[in-house]
Amino acid sequence: MPLVCVADFQALARERLSKPSWDYIEGGAGEGVTQDDNVAAFRNAAVGAKSHPPIVSVVQHRIRLRPRYLRDVSQVDTRTSIQGEWVSAPICISPTGFHRLAWPDGEMSTARAAQAADTCYITSTYASCSLEDIVTAAPRGLRWFQLYVQPDRELNKSLIQRAESLGFKALVITVDTPVLGNRRHDMRNQLDLKSNLLLKDLQSAQGRTSMPHLKMTAIDASICWDDLAWFQSFTQLPVILKGVLTREDAELAVTHNVQGIIVSNHGGRQLDEVLASIDALPEVVAAVKGKVDVYLDGGVRSGNDVLKALALGAKCVFVGRPVLWGLACKGESGVKEVLDILKAEFRTSMALT
């Protein structure tokens, strides 16, 4: 049976992956309330949502499109630019770790698919392939580097400078993970990623082979707003904060001279029962007043979802789990198919609205 939508890839990936791998990719924190809300909120808007652009409306707390007809839609251009770089559509790849759980070539296959789709791929600190191998696999691809801030400051500096020297175009600092969320599926499965996959980039600043791999829990819980100046002092990369959900933090991000915000709740994998990303988006967009780009990840499953996010103020969306579903099903070609489906659906949604 042909795979014609993102949900088809989800179903096939579940069949192909082991239970621990599926649970790691799919599982959320706590009861999974926020994870489920991320998807459901694109159909059902949060109570109290205020102003919306004319392309969408909130009817009985549901987000719905408001199409306008008798317009020339014979040519539809889905391209946009993010941080000064063009992408074929406002649909890019979120940072997710351990792609070798889904496919033997892991992040190298993901990078090749992103390059073929002419879109941006945010590479995770917890990639199961080295940064060098990822760049070699897709030398022309647009890549950003995501950082989980490590307690060793020199290790952070080394990682960022290494990414910059390899041609990564932005630094994405994840701010919603001072500690790992309560991921019950992984606890029940007693999942030990470190014993199965090498964290190839998390090694000492002095040498890439002189120190054991750091544990996933080695995240700096002391990182604060004033620390952002230290990162900005040694890199020319634009700094983007991933995990902002509130007006207050959005305003602080602008004050601290970041270049972008990704509205995200970590796919529901960190603090459960926070706002769905799409529900938090209008508040963040209003707070920054156009001073920085605002992006969104979490719950995007169709071209209509992409259009809704853009109508509510996002410059671009990033997708995580659907990319891993595609990877698990068909490797590089599966990731490319998922991106192509979303792009085609988005183009149709544009034409029909």
Side-chain angles (χ1 to χ4, degrees):
M1 183 178 70
L3 304 175
V4 300
C5 66
V6 168
D8 290 347
F9 281 90
Q10 180 183 22
L12 182 58
R14 183 166 193 166
E15 292 178 9
R16 296 197 170 182
L17 291 170
S18 68
K19 185 178 186 300
S21 294
W22 174 258
D23 285 349
Y24 174 73
I25 290 170
E26 196 68 7
E31 300 289 341
V33 172
T34 295
Q35 180 188 4
D36 293 341
D37 279 354
N38 270 349
V39 177
F42 276 98
R43 283 87 195 152
N44 303 287
V47 175
K50 296 180 181 178
S51 61
H52 300 283
I55 202 170
V56 296
S57 63
V58 178
V59 181
Q60 296 178 342
H61 312 308
R62 295 177 299 172
I63 301 176
R64 290 296 179 260
L65 300 172
R66 299 181 66 249
R68 298 294 306 279
Y69 296 122
L70 294 177
R71 309 292 178 95
D72 182 358
V73 293
S74 58
Q75 300 294 323
V76 178
D77 186 357
T78 63
R79 293 175 300 166
T80 192
S81 63
I82 51 173
Q83 300 300 317
E85 302 281 345
W86 285 96
V87 290
S88 62
I91 305 165
C92 301
I93 299 178
S94 295
T96 52
F98 305 106
H99 286 201
R100 280 182 168 164
L101 285 174
W103 193 258
D105 279 351
E107 289 82 4
M108 292 185 288
S109 291
T110 306
R112 285 191 289 262
Q115 177 177 274
D118 194 19
T119 197
C120 178
Y121 164 39
I122 307 179
T123 302
S124 172
T125 298
Y126 293 131
S128 50
C129 300
S130 72
L131 297 182
E132 287 78 5
D133 287 345
I134 292 167
V135 171
T136 299
R140 301 182 310 281
L142 174 59
R143 293 173 301 276
W144 294 356
F145 176 66
Q146 176 269 340
L147 178 71
Y148 286 115
V149 178
Q150 304 295 308
D152 180 349
R153 282 297 177 95
E154 288 305 308
L155 176 55
N156 292 309
K157 185 175 182 179
S158 174
L159 281 168
I160 293 165
Q161 291 181 333
R162 188 162 135 225
E164 189 169 7
S165 71
L166 288 168
F168 286 75
K169 298 297 186 182
L171 171 63
V172 178
I173 300 176
T174 294
V175 300
D176 61 10
T177 315
V179 296
L180 285 180
N182 182 24
R183 302 178 189 176
R184 297 176 183 175
H185 290 295
D186 295 344
M187 295 175 190
R188 293 187 183 107
N189 292 325
Q190 298 183 320
L191 186 67
D192 183 4
L193 290 164
K194 187 168 70 74
S195 68
N196 296 305
L197 292 164
L198 299 179
L199 304 185
K200 291 181 181 264
D201 289 310
L202 285 180
Q203 300 176 8
S204 70
Q206 289 74 33
R208 294 187 62 202
T209 59
S210 63
M211 180 178 173
H213 300 294
L214 298 179
K215 297 179 181 179
M216 279 193 69
T217 52
I219 298 172
D220 188 352
S222 71
I223 187 75
C224 295
W225 286 102
D226 289 343
D227 294 313
L228 294 177
W230 180 77
F231 292 100
Q232 294 161 334
S233 71
F234 62 80
T235 181
Q236 297 299 309
L237 296 177
V239 174
I240 295 161
L241 301 187
K242 180 178 182 292
V244 172
L245 290 171
T246 63
R247 170 184 59 80
E248 294 87 349
D249 279 349
E251 291 172 347
L252 283 167
V254 173
T255 300
H256 286 82
N257 300 312
V258 305
Q259 281 73 49
I261 290 170
I262 301 178
V263 175
S264 171
N265 54 37
H266 216 106
R269 295 166 70 81
Q270 279 301 102
L271 178 61
D272 199 16
E273 301 186 57
V274 298
L275 283 175
S277 296
I278 192 69
D279 289 338
L281 177 63
E283 177 179 328
V284 173
V285 170
V288 304
K289 298 181 172 64
K291 295 176 182 176
V292 301
D293 281 350
V294 177
Y295 314 110
L296 174 137
D297 86 353
V300 174
R301 299 292 183 266
S302 71
N304 273 8
D305 293 347
V306 178
L307 186 61
K308 289 174 182 179
L310 267 60
L312 292 172
K315 176 75 170 177
C316 174
V317 304
F318 290 84
V319 293
R321 288 185 179 94
V323 166
L324 293 173
W325 301 337
L327 191 66
C329 292
K330 299 184 180 182
E332 175 187 340
S333 65
V335 175
K336 178 67 162 47
E337 280 187 48
V338 166
L339 294 172
D340 286 347
I341 285 170
L342 289 172
K343 190 189 303 184
E345 290 178 348
F346 174 58
R347 183 182 294 109
T348 299
S349 299
M350 287 177 64
L352 291 177
T353 50

